[in-house]
Structure formats: C-alpha cells, structure tokens
C-alpha cells in the first residue's frame, strides 16, 4: 500500500463550487504539506502543518484553506473554485527528526475548474 | 532569497546517451541539495541528495556533486534508458522545513 494517498486522483468541477482534496499517510510523519504544480513553474507551497494544532500559510495560500484532522490526515479546500486553480496538487510528508527534511509525495490530484 | 534555476526542457536523447541536467542555486547559509524525479502519472520521489559541499549523491546510475564554488548541483548519467523518461526537479532546503524547487526538466529517451 502507498504511504501517502490522495483522493480523488482526478476531478473536474465548475467555477464557484467548493472542492475538498484529501490526503492520508501511514508513514507516521508529523509534517504535512500541500503543493500545486503548474507547467513551467515547478511546485509551489500552499499550506503546511507541523502537527495537528499547527497550520501555516505557504507562498500561495489565497483562495485555499486546510484542515489537519489527525496526524495522518490533511485536507485542502477550495471554497469557491476558479479556473486559474486548475493544476496538479500534491500532498507531501516529512519526518520531524531528519536534518535534511526529505519529503515523501502522494501521487497527485489533477483538478480542472471549468 | 533562496532560489533554484535549472535548464529548461524538454531534453530528448537516444538510449545510452550521456545526460546532463544543469542546476544552479542561490542560498544563504549551507543548503542541502536534492534531485527529485517524477515519472508519468506519479508524485515526486527522491532520486539523490547531498548535504554539504563536495558531497556526491548517487542513485540508479545518476550522480550529482555539490559544488559550492560554482553554486551548482548538476545531474549526470552516463547511459540513459527509456525508463529514465520523466521530469527531474532540482531543489534545496536551507536550515528550514521549506523546499525551493526548480521548474523541472522533462527528459525523453528514445529507443
């Protein structure tokens, strides 16, 4: 079984709809992250969480919110989706104890907003 | 601020050709450097890393050397295979949780 899972894998929605992307991990890591990937822009950090009570904005948090329901679960919400949020979204985790903070990525969710 | 610049792709090579993907960085302090690979339809996975100057990371025939004097971490492989076709990301962290990723370089290897 995959260590980091994301649901759904693909989603098509309309402008103005509320969307939730979910991430679960079995690695026992404290740190979780949400990124979006756009062609030519690499990965950009949306939000990150170092434990259940800790939520922090990344570089592109506008239009997004997150919830850390448990150590193993970290959800990303788009309250009112817009077309420029069409992208590939990745969840990642890392272990608090490692110096170089290697991150482990889920398979991604491809979101299309029409 | 910290940044990573990597060569634009796509890079198209024949099987068994030599591969170089350039990566240079700007960072304060002493960053750790990484190459991640993204195979089609999958998330990123760590390919190799180096945590201090002159370290060489290696994995699956790929190598990269942390060059502080040239602020570079170029990825090389002596003989690529079709199965190496993927997108490669250079990245750094500098004393914090936060990754700075390059824009990615798509590699296509032809049989």
């Amino acid at each position: 079984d995959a260590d980091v899972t994301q649901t759904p894998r693909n989603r098509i929605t309309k402008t103005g709809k509320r969307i939730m992307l979910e991430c679960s991990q079995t690695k026992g890591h404290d740190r979780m992250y949400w990124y979006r990937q756009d062609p030519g822009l690499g990965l950009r950090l949306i939000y990150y969480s170092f434990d259940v009570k800790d939520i922090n904005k990344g570089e592109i948090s506008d239009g997004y919110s997150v919830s850390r329901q448990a150590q193993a679960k970290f959800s990303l919400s788009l309250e009112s989706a817009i077309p420029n949020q069409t992208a590939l979204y990745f969840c990642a985790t890392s272990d608090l104890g490692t110096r170089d903070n290697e991150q482990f990525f889920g398979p991604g969710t491809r979101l299309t907003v029409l | 601020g910290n940044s990573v610049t990597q060569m634009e792709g796509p890079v198209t090579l024949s099987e068994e050709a030599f591969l170089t993907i350039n990566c240079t960085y700007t960072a304060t302090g002493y960053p750790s450097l990484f190459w991640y690979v993204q195979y089609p339809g999958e998330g990123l996975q760590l390919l190799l890393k180096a945590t201090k100057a002159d370290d060489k990371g290696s994995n699956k025939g790929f190598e990269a050397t942390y060059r502080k004097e040239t602020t570079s971490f170029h990825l090389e492989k002596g003989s690529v295979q079709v199965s190496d076709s993927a997108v490669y990301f250079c990245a750094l962290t500098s004393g914090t949780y936060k990754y700075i990723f390059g824009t990615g370089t798509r590699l296509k290897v032809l049989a």
Side-chain angles (χ1 to χ4, degrees):
Chain A
D1 288 341
D3 294 320
V4 184
T5 57
Q6 294 182 232
T7 56
R9 294 293 311 278
N10 289 282
R11 182 73 184 267
I12 300 173
T13 191
K14 295 182 178 179
T15 297
K17 295 291 188 181
R18 184 178 187 274
I19 297 297
M20 179 180 287
L21 309 183
E22 300 188 356
C23 176
S24 295
Q25 53 114 348
T26 58
K27 299 189 74 66
H29 289 168
D30 290 312
R31 299 180 175 185
M32 298 187 74
Y33 311 80
W34 276 105
Y35 292 91
R36 65 177 278 175
Q37 182 182 12
D38 299 277
L41 295 177
L43 274 75
R44 293 181 291 167
L45 183 63
I46 306 172
Y47 271 94
Y48 63 100
S49 169
F50 283 178
D51 65 39
V52 174
K53 297 181 180 179
D54 177 75
I55 300 290
N56 303 280
K57 293 182 177 181
E59 58 183 308
I60 55 162
S61 59
D62 287 349
Y64 301 94
S65 63
V66 292
S67 173
R68 184 82 184 266
Q69 301 95 322
Q71 188 205 34
K73 296 184 181 297
F74 192 37
S75 299
L76 176 72
S77 293
L78 288 67
E79 297 301 326
S80 179
I82 56 177
N84 75 3
Q85 292 177 312
T86 293
L88 189 54
Y89 290 84
F90 287 103
C91 175
T93 73
S94 68
D95 185 0
L96 178 63
T98 56
R99 174 185 177 274
D100 54 23
N101 194 40
E102 176 183 348
Q103 296 193 3
F104 296 83
F105 286 80
T109 295
R110 185 169 296 281
L111 177 65
T112 302
V113 183
L114 301 177
Chain B
N2 297 343
S3 66
V4 173
T5 302
Q6 62 182 106
M7 62 189 289
E8 290 190 18
V11 174
T12 303
L13 296 173
S14 298
E15 205 164 27
E16 299 183 2
F18 185 85
L19 169 71
T20 300
I21 300 178
N22 291 336
C23 172
T24 57
Y25 68 89
T26 302
T28 56
Y30 302 93
S32 294
L33 301 174
F34 305 82
W35 278 101
Y36 277 79
V37 59
Q38 183 182 25
Y39 297 106
E42 299 182 12
L44 281 71
Q45 56 186 273
L46 181 66
L47 179 60
L48 53 83
K49 64 183 179 185
T51 58
K52 62 182 187 295
D54 299 325
D55 270 2
K56 177 184 283 188
S58 61
N59 186 25
K60 299 181 180 180
F62 291 89
E63 294 183 339
T65 301
Y66 188 148
R67 302 283 189 201
K68 191 170 177 62
E69 63 276 14
T70 55
T71 61
S72 64
F73 193 55
H74 304 322
L75 182 69
E76 297 182 336
K77 186 175 186 182
S79 177
V80 294
Q81 306 301 312
V82 172
S83 58
D84 294 326
S85 297
V87 181
Y88 293 83
F89 291 91
C90 186
L92 68 81
T93 62
S94 183
T96 73
Y97 66 92
K98 186 176 178 181
Y99 266 64
I100 305 296
F101 285 92
T103 54
T105 301
R106 182 175 299 278
L107 171 65
K108 184 173 183 180
V109 181
L110 304 176

